[in-house]
Amino acid sequence: MPPDADLRKLLRFSSQDGLIWLSGQRMLLLHSASLMALHQELMNTLGAAHTRRVLMRSGYAAGERDALLARQVRPDSSLFEMFAVGPQLHGLEGAVQATPLVFEVDEEADHLLCQVRWQNSWEAETRLRESGVQSDPACWMQLGYASGYTSALMGKQVLFKELECEACGHAHCLIEGRFVHEWPDGAQLASDYTPESLLVRLDDPPAHANALRESPPAQDVQGPLLGQSPAFQAALELLRKAAPTQVTVLLTGETGVGKERFASALHAMSARASQPFVAINCAALPAELIESELFGAEKGAFTGANATRPGRFERANGGTLLLDELGELPMPAQAKLLRVLQTGEVERLGGSKPIPVDVRVVAATNVDLEQAVAQGRFRADLLYRLNVYPIRVPALRERPDDIEPLAKHLLQKFSALHGKKVAGLSDRALAALRQHQWPGNVRELENLLERGLILAPDHGLLDVDNLFPQWQEGGHSGVDEQGYLCRLAAAAPAGPKKMELPALYEAMLDQGLSLQTLEERLLLEAVRRAGGNLAAAARALGLTRPQLSYRLARSRDRAPTDDES
């Protein structure tokens, strides 16, 4: 057997937060008595046959997870040295002392023979203490582990049998593994790992089960809106109630929470679903173009209007119009929007004939419109007209229970998009996702997972450092060669340190930057990081969008100095 130092260093005990890690997977130290009690409860409830299959499938899943480490930890080793990771991890995890006796592989002949001796099996010990000497082998979970581990490592199904078992009075346990086609009863062995339903008759089904059957899932063309947290479900329930009506809906919430998905789902669940769904971002268009985009323009209405063009209201006729980033709408456009909402008619720029439109308006904003009214940036009468049916979409940090299903869904989506397979998210990555504050909400989660997928190893686990490159591990305890806990030094800080004000000033002097030049570079960097979204860049800098636009225009008009040219 190869040395296991490379595996022991993956084991981390963190007394600060009560977590144990094996690489990126969260581990547990359990009393064997608790597993014994669970085993007995399953036996009493399900019977021996069902309990055996449940535990074997549970072990199979654990083995598959550990197999992901083999090629990662020993990528340049022989096949046997990689295989040995499984028996060695099984020992480190306290399940059994595993010693490989035979390991024959002939890939051309499609042949595998593997024999492993087990000593100190927790399952055999448990069964002996429960029921005395057994007539049949009893290490069900460990047998599943061996099958799952070796199948994942070899890339094809390998199934093990337990030929001898300590619970049956033998000196040790002995297992033998072969490719499934090499076993005469391979089909029967494989059926033990086929998922099955345990049908339980419920005389009084829970009320929430009926409610779920009666309420169709809220979804749009991209699929269902995912989330089971109370805050998210409350918002979805408001959406369902509004869908069959014609009420004007105001969606509020932080940037990136999914307000456009909510609007699209509202349209998809309404009677207007077969008609157009049109969205316009009020913050993405220059103030001089927003009115022509919304209401249309006649030919010759302004310079460059070479043809009559219908606006978004006309294009959404019969359907739904989403006014996104409504808080950034200029005051003149607000007055015309109010008139359209009151009369159901639009007038194109340069036109004099009212055009009737049948449009359901959904507005979305991350701005506090009441505060905007108080500051004179938003019309009070328009707010009253739009705020008939408000729905607040909760921030991602308010729904931590939804982060894992969202992350797994997005990982599948980006895996298909980029044609790259990964085994999923590590437990440590999921823990880091739950602890993150998510200033960018679901949009930030999407960006992190797409980047993380690209950085993660093919067919491996997406770990925390793929998601957060600046992440650093704190001080932990590990296991030395004698099995004692030993203190491990904290990892060195990753990435650049936070720049304090004196250091920033020194950097300005060293690079010969003027205050004006520094401001211009900061503005452009904010716009770049916001993907060209001026409203988002302005919020990051603590400015309004008009203030940012003015400063950018001023910097473009400024002639470069001799030092900068």
mmCIF file of all heavy atoms in Angstrom, residues 464-498:
data_model
loop_
_atom_site.group_PDB
_atom_site.id
_atom_site.type_symbol
_atom_site.label_atom_id
_atom_site.label_comp_id
_atom_site.label_asym_id
_atom_site.label_seq_id
_atom_site.Cartn_x
_atom_site.Cartn_y
_atom_site.Cartn_z
ATOM 1 N N VAL A 464 -14.444 25.299 -3.358
ATOM 2 C CA VAL A 464 -14.623 26.685 -2.930
ATOM 3 C C VAL A 464 -13.649 27.629 -3.626
ATOM 4 O O VAL A 464 -14.004 28.766 -3.950
ATOM 5 C CB VAL A 464 -14.499 26.787 -1.394
ATOM 6 C CG1 VAL A 464 -13.112 26.388 -0.922
ATOM 7 C CG2 VAL A 464 -14.840 28.178 -0.906
ATOM 8 N N ASP A 465 -12.405 27.191 -3.885
ATOM 9 C CA ASP A 465 -11.442 28.093 -4.512
ATOM 10 C C ASP A 465 -11.754 28.335 -5.983
ATOM 11 O O ASP A 465 -11.240 29.296 -6.569
ATOM 12 C CB ASP A 465 -10.013 27.567 -4.347
ATOM 13 C CG ASP A 465 -9.858 26.138 -4.835
ATOM 14 O OD1 ASP A 465 -10.868 25.443 -4.995
ATOM 15 O OD2 ASP A 465 -8.709 25.708 -5.047
ATOM 16 N N ASN A 466 -12.580 27.486 -6.601
ATOM 17 C CA ASN A 466 -13.047 27.767 -7.969
ATOM 18 C C ASN A 466 -14.071 28.894 -7.977
ATOM 19 O O ASN A 466 -14.207 29.612 -8.969
ATOM 20 C CB ASN A 466 -13.681 26.527 -8.599
ATOM 21 C CG ASN A 466 -12.757 25.331 -8.614
ATOM 22 O OD1 ASN A 466 -13.157 24.238 -8.246
ATOM 23 N ND2 ASN A 466 -11.505 25.528 -9.027
ATOM 24 N N LEU A 467 -14.795 29.047 -6.878
ATOM 25 C CA LEU A 467 -15.826 30.084 -6.775
ATOM 26 C C LEU A 467 -15.275 31.392 -6.240
ATOM 27 O O LEU A 467 -15.613 32.469 -6.733
ATOM 28 C CB LEU A 467 -16.959 29.604 -5.858
ATOM 29 C CG LEU A 467 -17.747 28.382 -6.318
ATOM 30 C CD1 LEU A 467 -18.664 27.909 -5.204
ATOM 31 C CD2 LEU A 467 -18.559 28.712 -7.563
ATOM 32 N N PHE A 468 -14.449 31.300 -5.208
ATOM 33 C CA PHE A 468 -13.918 32.491 -4.539
ATOM 34 C C PHE A 468 -12.391 32.423 -4.552
ATOM 35 O O PHE A 468 -11.780 31.866 -3.636
ATOM 36 C CB PHE A 468 -14.422 32.562 -3.093
ATOM 37 C CG PHE A 468 -15.922 32.590 -2.968
ATOM 38 C CD1 PHE A 468 -16.640 31.438 -2.659
ATOM 39 C CD2 PHE A 468 -16.632 33.758 -3.175
ATOM 40 C CE1 PHE A 468 -18.013 31.454 -2.541
ATOM 41 C CE2 PHE A 468 -18.017 33.787 -3.060
ATOM 42 C CZ PHE A 468 -18.716 32.637 -2.744
ATOM 43 N N PRO A 469 -11.747 32.975 -5.599
ATOM 44 C CA PRO A 469 -10.280 32.877 -5.694
ATOM 45 C C PRO A 469 -9.557 33.500 -4.503
ATOM 46 O O PRO A 469 -8.439 33.099 -4.183
ATOM 47 C CB PRO A 469 -9.969 33.649 -6.989
ATOM 48 C CG PRO A 469 -11.231 33.568 -7.792
ATOM 49 C CD PRO A 469 -12.347 33.594 -6.793
ATOM 50 N N GLN A 470 -10.188 34.466 -3.822
ATOM 51 C CA GLN A 470 -9.541 35.110 -2.683
ATOM 52 C C GLN A 470 -9.778 34.347 -1.378
ATOM 53 O O GLN A 470 -9.330 34.780 -0.319
ATOM 54 C CB GLN A 470 -10.080 36.546 -2.522
ATOM 55 C CG GLN A 470 -9.972 37.399 -3.780
ATOM 56 C CD GLN A 470 -8.554 37.497 -4.303
ATOM 57 O OE1 GLN A 470 -7.621 37.611 -3.528
ATOM 58 N NE2 GLN A 470 -8.386 37.437 -5.621
ATOM 59 N N TRP A 471 -10.505 33.237 -1.453
ATOM 60 C CA TRP A 471 -10.831 32.493 -0.241
ATOM 61 C C TRP A 471 -9.561 31.938 0.383
ATOM 62 O O TRP A 471 -8.631 31.510 -0.307
ATOM 63 C CB TRP A 471 -11.770 31.349 -0.596
ATOM 64 C CG TRP A 471 -12.133 30.459 0.565
ATOM 65 C CD1 TRP A 471 -13.125 30.638 1.467
ATOM 66 C CD2 TRP A 471 -11.482 29.235 0.933
ATOM 67 N NE1 TRP A 471 -13.152 29.618 2.369
ATOM 68 C CE2 TRP A 471 -12.144 28.734 2.076
ATOM 69 C CE3 TRP A 471 -10.406 28.533 0.424
ATOM 70 C CZ2 TRP A 471 -11.772 27.564 2.695
ATOM 71 C CZ3 TRP A 471 -10.023 27.358 1.045
ATOM 72 C CH2 TRP A 471 -10.708 26.881 2.172
ATOM 73 N N GLN A 472 -9.503 31.966 1.704
ATOM 74 C CA GLN A 472 -8.361 31.382 2.397
ATOM 75 C C GLN A 472 -8.851 30.549 3.566
ATOM 76 O O GLN A 472 -9.842 30.884 4.210
ATOM 77 C CB GLN A 472 -7.391 32.462 2.883
ATOM 78 C CG GLN A 472 -8.022 33.515 3.791
ATOM 79 C CD GLN A 472 -7.003 34.517 4.282
ATOM 80 O OE1 GLN A 472 -6.043 34.147 4.950
ATOM 81 N NE2 GLN A 472 -7.189 35.771 3.942
ATOM 82 N N GLU A 473 -8.139 29.459 3.814
ATOM 83 C CA GLU A 473 -8.517 28.534 4.866
ATOM 84 C C GLU A 473 -7.905 28.967 6.183
ATOM 85 O O GLU A 473 -6.731 29.342 6.241
ATOM 86 C CB GLU A 473 -8.028 27.126 4.499
ATOM 87 C CG GLU A 473 -8.561 26.041 5.391
ATOM 88 C CD GLU A 473 -8.154 24.674 4.880
ATOM 89 O OE1 GLU A 473 -7.026 24.535 4.392
ATOM 90 O OE2 GLU A 473 -8.974 23.754 4.960
ATOM 91 N N GLY A 474 -8.685 28.950 7.232
ATOM 92 C CA GLY A 474 -8.176 29.310 8.547
ATOM 93 C C GLY A 474 -7.376 28.181 9.167
ATOM 94 O O GLY A 474 -7.127 27.139 8.566
ATOM 95 N N GLY A 475 -6.921 28.375 10.400
ATOM 96 C CA GLY A 475 -6.147 27.357 11.083
ATOM 97 C C GLY A 475 -7.003 26.152 11.433
ATOM 98 O O GLY A 475 -8.141 26.293 11.873
ATOM 99 N N HIS A 476 -6.469 24.965 11.201
ATOM 100 C CA HIS A 476 -7.183 23.727 11.479
ATOM 101 C C HIS A 476 -6.253 22.734 12.151
ATOM 102 O O HIS A 476 -5.034 22.911 12.184
ATOM 103 C CB HIS A 476 -7.723 23.093 10.189
ATOM 104 C CG HIS A 476 -8.825 23.854 9.545
ATOM 105 N ND1 HIS A 476 -8.602 24.964 8.764
ATOM 106 C CD2 HIS A 476 -10.169 23.667 9.567
ATOM 107 C CE1 HIS A 476 -9.757 25.429 8.327
ATOM 108 N NE2 HIS A 476 -10.714 24.665 8.794
ATOM 109 N N SER A 477 -6.834 21.662 12.659
ATOM 110 C CA SER A 477 -6.069 20.530 13.154
ATOM 111 C C SER A 477 -6.148 19.408 12.129
ATOM 112 O O SER A 477 -7.178 19.212 11.488
ATOM 113 C CB SER A 477 -6.625 20.044 14.496
ATOM 114 O OG SER A 477 -6.499 21.053 15.475
ATOM 115 N N GLY A 478 -5.028 18.692 11.983
ATOM 116 C CA GLY A 478 -4.987 17.545 11.091
ATOM 117 C C GLY A 478 -4.631 16.286 11.880
ATOM 118 O O GLY A 478 -4.671 16.269 13.106
ATOM 119 N N VAL A 479 -4.278 15.225 11.157
ATOM 120 C CA VAL A 479 -3.957 13.944 11.780
ATOM 121 C C VAL A 479 -2.539 13.556 11.394
ATOM 122 O O VAL A 479 -2.192 13.532 10.212
ATOM 123 C CB VAL A 479 -4.950 12.851 11.317
ATOM 124 C CG1 VAL A 479 -4.621 11.527 11.967
ATOM 125 C CG2 VAL A 479 -6.376 13.260 11.641
ATOM 126 N N ASP A 480 -1.700 13.256 12.422
ATOM 127 C CA ASP A 480 -0.333 12.856 12.124
ATOM 128 C C ASP A 480 -0.253 11.348 11.882
ATOM 129 O O ASP A 480 -1.275 10.648 11.871
ATOM 130 C CB ASP A 480 0.617 13.297 13.239
ATOM 131 C CG ASP A 480 0.315 12.621 14.575
ATOM 132 O OD1 ASP A 480 -0.393 11.595 14.584
ATOM 133 O OD2 ASP A 480 0.791 13.131 15.606
ATOM 134 N N GLU A 481 0.967 10.818 11.699
ATOM 135 C CA GLU A 481 1.133 9.419 11.345
ATOM 136 C C GLU A 481 0.683 8.474 12.449
ATOM 137 O O GLU A 481 0.300 7.329 12.188
ATOM 138 C CB GLU A 481 2.608 9.147 11.007
ATOM 139 C CG GLU A 481 3.083 9.862 9.750
ATOM 140 C CD GLU A 481 4.528 9.553 9.433
ATOM 141 O OE1 GLU A 481 5.127 8.721 10.151
ATOM 142 O OE2 GLU A 481 5.057 10.128 8.461
ATOM 143 N N GLN A 482 0.728 8.946 13.699
ATOM 144 C CA GLN A 482 0.305 8.117 14.819
ATOM 145 C C GLN A 482 -1.192 8.225 15.107
ATOM 146 O O GLN A 482 -1.707 7.572 16.019
ATOM 147 C CB GLN A 482 1.089 8.487 16.090
ATOM 148 C CG GLN A 482 2.541 8.063 16.086
ATOM 149 C CD GLN A 482 3.396 8.925 15.164
ATOM 150 O OE1 GLN A 482 3.214 10.145 15.109
ATOM 151 N NE2 GLN A 482 4.298 8.304 14.421
ATOM 152 N N GLY A 483 -1.900 9.066 14.325
ATOM 153 C CA GLY A 483 -3.334 9.215 14.513
ATOM 154 C C GLY A 483 -3.710 10.288 15.510
ATOM 155 O O GLY A 483 -4.878 10.403 15.888
ATOM 156 N N TYR A 484 -2.733 11.110 15.961
ATOM 157 C CA TYR A 484 -3.021 12.189 16.892
ATOM 158 C C TYR A 484 -3.323 13.474 16.119
ATOM 159 O O TYR A 484 -2.786 13.714 15.019
ATOM 160 C CB TYR A 484 -1.845 12.432 17.837
ATOM 161 C CG TYR A 484 -1.610 11.304 18.804
ATOM 162 C CD1 TYR A 484 -0.579 10.386 18.583
ATOM 163 C CD2 TYR A 484 -2.407 11.144 19.935
ATOM 164 C CE1 TYR A 484 -0.355 9.336 19.468
ATOM 165 C CE2 TYR A 484 -2.192 10.100 20.819
ATOM 166 C CZ TYR A 484 -1.173 9.198 20.582
ATOM 167 O OH TYR A 484 -0.963 8.158 21.451
ATOM 168 N N LEU A 485 -4.175 14.328 16.725
ATOM 169 C CA LEU A 485 -4.438 15.624 16.123
ATOM 170 C C LEU A 485 -3.202 16.502 16.235
ATOM 171 O O LEU A 485 -2.533 16.528 17.271
ATOM 172 C CB LEU A 485 -5.620 16.318 16.814
ATOM 173 C CG LEU A 485 -6.999 15.709 16.588
ATOM 174 C CD1 LEU A 485 -8.055 16.506 17.346
ATOM 175 C CD2 LEU A 485 -7.347 15.678 15.106
ATOM 176 N N CYS A 486 -2.909 17.220 15.156
ATOM 177 C CA CYS A 486 -1.792 18.159 15.173
ATOM 178 C C CYS A 486 -2.244 19.472 14.558
ATOM 179 O O CYS A 486 -3.098 19.495 13.677
ATOM 180 C CB CYS A 486 -0.591 17.595 14.410
ATOM 181 S SG CYS A 486 -0.927 17.200 12.676
ATOM 182 N N ARG A 487 -1.684 20.570 15.056
ATOM 183 C CA ARG A 487 -2.101 21.887 14.585
ATOM 184 C C ARG A 487 -1.519 22.167 13.207
ATOM 185 O O ARG A 487 -0.330 21.920 12.951
ATOM 186 C CB ARG A 487 -1.630 22.964 15.569
ATOM 187 C CG ARG A 487 -2.178 24.358 15.285
ATOM 188 C CD ARG A 487 -3.662 24.409 15.516
ATOM 189 N NE ARG A 487 -4.207 25.743 15.269
ATOM 190 C CZ ARG A 487 -5.491 26.017 15.224
ATOM 191 N NH1 ARG A 487 -6.372 25.053 15.404
ATOM 192 N NH2 ARG A 487 -5.919 27.234 15.008
ATOM 193 N N LEU A 488 -2.352 22.653 12.309
ATOM 194 C CA LEU A 488 -1.911 23.026 10.966
ATOM 195 C C LEU A 488 -1.898 24.546 10.864
ATOM 196 O O LEU A 488 -2.795 25.221 11.352
ATOM 197 C CB LEU A 488 -2.853 22.447 9.904
ATOM 198 C CG LEU A 488 -2.961 20.928 9.884
ATOM 199 C CD1 LEU A 488 -4.027 20.501 8.883
ATOM 200 C CD2 LEU A 488 -1.639 20.296 9.514
ATOM 201 N N ALA A 489 -0.883 25.067 10.223
ATOM 202 C CA ALA A 489 -0.773 26.515 10.081
ATOM 203 C C ALA A 489 -1.848 27.025 9.138
ATOM 204 O O ALA A 489 -2.265 26.335 8.200
ATOM 205 C CB ALA A 489 0.616 26.882 9.543
ATOM 206 N N ALA A 490 -2.305 28.242 9.403
ATOM 207 C CA ALA A 490 -3.292 28.867 8.519
ATOM 208 C C ALA A 490 -2.670 29.144 7.169
ATOM 209 O O ALA A 490 -1.472 29.424 7.051
ATOM 210 C CB ALA A 490 -3.809 30.164 9.144
ATOM 211 N N ALA A 491 -3.469 29.038 6.129
ATOM 212 C CA ALA A 491 -2.990 29.312 4.778
ATOM 213 C C ALA A 491 -2.631 30.776 4.647
ATOM 214 O O ALA A 491 -3.214 31.652 5.281
ATOM 215 C CB ALA A 491 -4.058 28.931 3.753
ATOM 216 N N ALA A 492 -1.638 31.048 3.805
ATOM 217 C CA ALA A 492 -1.246 32.434 3.576
ATOM 218 C C ALA A 492 -2.370 33.175 2.882
ATOM 219 O O ALA A 492 -3.082 32.608 2.046
ATOM 220 C CB ALA A 492 0.026 32.471 2.724
ATOM 221 N N PRO A 493 -2.556 34.447 3.198
ATOM 222 C CA PRO A 493 -3.628 35.213 2.551
ATOM 223 C C PRO A 493 -3.466 35.198 1.040
ATOM 224 O O PRO A 493 -2.352 35.326 0.524
ATOM 225 C CB PRO A 493 -3.460 36.631 3.127
ATOM 226 C CG PRO A 493 -2.688 36.437 4.402
ATOM 227 C CD PRO A 493 -1.822 35.251 4.178
ATOM 228 N N ALA A 494 -4.564 35.006 0.357
ATOM 229 C CA ALA A 494 -4.537 34.968 -1.107
ATOM 230 C C ALA A 494 -4.949 36.320 -1.663
ATOM 231 O O ALA A 494 -5.794 37.000 -1.109
ATOM 232 C CB ALA A 494 -5.487 33.891 -1.629
ATOM 233 N N GLY A 495 -4.322 36.684 -2.800
ATOM 234 C CA GLY A 495 -4.758 37.887 -3.483
ATOM 235 C C GLY A 495 -4.206 39.154 -2.849
ATOM 236 O O GLY A 495 -3.486 39.135 -1.851
ATOM 237 N N PRO A 496 -4.509 40.289 -3.434
ATOM 238 C CA PRO A 496 -3.989 41.560 -2.951
ATOM 239 C C PRO A 496 -4.600 41.955 -1.622
ATOM 240 O O PRO A 496 -5.740 41.649 -1.316
ATOM 241 C CB PRO A 496 -4.417 42.540 -4.056
ATOM 242 C CG PRO A 496 -5.603 41.906 -4.691
ATOM 243 C CD PRO A 496 -5.368 40.435 -4.606
ATOM 244 N N LYS A 497 -3.783 42.632 -0.795
ATOM 245 C CA LYS A 497 -4.288 43.124 0.467
ATOM 246 C C LYS A 497 -5.104 44.382 0.257
ATOM 247 O O LYS A 497 -4.975 45.082 -0.734
ATOM 248 C CB LYS A 497 -3.114 43.417 1.414
ATOM 249 C CG LYS A 497 -2.312 42.176 1.801
ATOM 250 C CD LYS A 497 -1.200 42.552 2.755
ATOM 251 C CE LYS A 497 -0.407 41.324 3.182
ATOM 252 N NZ LYS A 497 0.701 41.674 4.096
ATOM 253 N N LYS A 498 -5.948 44.674 1.244
ATOM 254 C CA LYS A 498 -6.751 45.885 1.198
ATOM 255 C C LYS A 498 -5.830 47.096 1.252
ATOM 256 O O LYS A 498 -4.957 47.200 2.121
ATOM 257 C CB LYS A 498 -7.729 45.892 2.370
ATOM 258 C CG LYS A 498 -8.610 47.128 2.417
ATOM 259 C CD LYS A 498 -9.539 47.056 3.608
ATOM 260 C CE LYS A 498 -10.416 48.296 3.693
ATOM 261 N NZ LYS A 498 -11.299 48.237 4.886
#
